[in-house]
Amino acid sequence: MAAPPPVPLPLPLPEDDGRVRALLEEGQLEVLGRIPWASNATMLAKICHDGLESLAVYKPARGERPLWDFPEGTLYRREVAAYLVSEQLGWGLVPLTVARDDGPFGVGSLQRFVDADLEVTAFELVERGDATMPLIAAFDVVINNADRKAGHCLDDRSQGSGGGRVWAIDHGVCFHVEPKLRTVLWDFAGQRLARRLLDDLRGLVAALEGELGERLTGILAPAEIEALTERTEQLTRSGRFPHPVGRRPYPWPLV
């Protein structure tokens, strides 16, 4: 008797649901096509595992465009590192992201797909006073995000999937040791961070000196982990969002 066809993964499911992680880490991966507006090779994929299926975003290392300031073949690792930092903070900003070495185009990152309203960007969310945006702004300071475009903030609450929240995606150009923060979220510059955020950041520093630091070893370079710790400590000490510095504080294009 033939096996029954897979059924769509029931959503919303929490990110820590074992079925979601098993799907990404062990599921059979089928590339459906390339997402055309991405600068690096970014694939929409279908994953199937244990009778369930879902969509995911697959970013193979071999499809990364060489950059003069980031080591070649490391962007997919930074996607995974961003997820780990977000989870340690307890902010749940980044969709579940894992590394896969058995993808159709080789090693790369695989991230849970977010079915979002693409008409809503960071600009609209900031204007509405969405409570997630200060979290993303602080997160970007910590991970030294060199490319926070407005379209890299996704709101899936009107789509009825993914848990109903605002997500942050595209973290391939983060964690550089040199200051490279480029973001559309400078609206918060100079504002105080909420006490809860500061407590979470202090917890991140402690984790970087322990288990999280060990998990990031091999994903990021030792100097990058050290710089991540220093940025987090500095943000905690100042208690305020930084102001733009340098000649290029904004990404391009903005969306």
Side-chain angles (χ1 to χ4, degrees):
M1 178 182 296
V7 297
L9 186 68
L11 295 173
L13 281 178
E15 288 288 284
D16 59 357
D17 188 290
R19 289 173 292 176
V20 180
R21 179 168 291 277
L23 194 61
L24 264 69
E25 291 182 339
E26 306 172 27
Q28 182 178 351
L29 183 60
E30 176 188 353
V31 171
L32 302 179
R34 181 167 180 170
I35 298 176
W37 52 82
S39 56
N40 296 294
T42 301
M43 314 288 185
L44 180 64
K46 181 173 68 174
I47 45 176
C48 300
H49 178 69
D50 197 21
L52 298 175
E53 70 176 30
S54 185
L55 295 177
V57 177
Y58 168 49
K59 296 185 177 182
R62 64 186 289 186
E64 296 175 3
R65 184 178 61 180
L67 300 171
W68 68 269
D69 51 350
F70 282 84
E72 186 173 351
T74 67
L75 303 192
Y76 81 94
R77 298 182 191 173
R78 299 171 194 277
E79 298 276 3
V80 177
Y83 168 75
L84 294 175
V85 171
S86 169
E87 289 302 290
Q88 180 61 54
L89 285 165
W91 295 352
L93 300 175
V94 181
L96 177 61
T97 309
V98 302
R100 291 282 297 260
D101 59 9
D102 59 347
F105 298 101
V107 64
S109 64
L110 191 65
Q111 184 175 89
R112 185 180 185 181
F113 176 78
V114 176
D115 183 16
D117 181 355
L118 299 183
E119 296 299 317
V120 178
T121 72
F123 295 134
E124 288 76 25
L125 292 166
V126 170
E127 185 177 359
R128 297 173 186 173
D130 191 283
T132 306
M133 301 316 292
L135 299 180
I136 297 178
F139 179 65
D140 286 343
V141 174
V142 167
I143 66 173
N144 197 19
N145 193 345
D147 193 35
R148 175 60 71 201
K149 295 181 174 68
H152 292 175
C153 298
L154 302 179
D155 185 353
D156 74 354
R157 288 172 294 195
S158 66
Q159 306 300 102
S161 65
R165 67 174 86 171
V166 173
W167 301 90
I169 63 167
D170 283 348
H171 301 106
V173 286
C174 298
F175 298 103
H176 203 284
V177 296
E178 300 175 3
K180 289 185 177 291
L181 183 60
R182 289 192 287 270
T183 177
V184 297
L185 299 179
W186 290 116
D187 304 69
F188 301 101
Q191 296 183 19
R192 291 188 178 276
L193 277 76
R195 183 181 298 274
R196 179 177 71 84
L197 272 64
L198 293 173
D199 290 341
D200 293 339
L201 291 168
R202 294 187 185 98
L204 175 60
V205 172
L208 286 168
E209 296 171 351
E211 182 179 353
L212 179 61
E214 295 177 1
R215 293 187 70 185
L216 290 174
T217 300
I219 299 177
L220 301 175
E224 292 171 335
I225 299 174
E226 181 179 353
L228 168 62
T229 303
E230 292 175 353
R231 287 190 301 269
T232 308
E233 290 176 332
Q234 181 179 0
L235 183 59
T236 304
R237 286 194 301 269
S238 71
R240 293 181 180 271
F241 290 99
H243 289 276
V245 294
R247 297 182 355 177
R248 292 188 57 203
Y250 291 91
W252 189 259
L254 294 177
V255 179

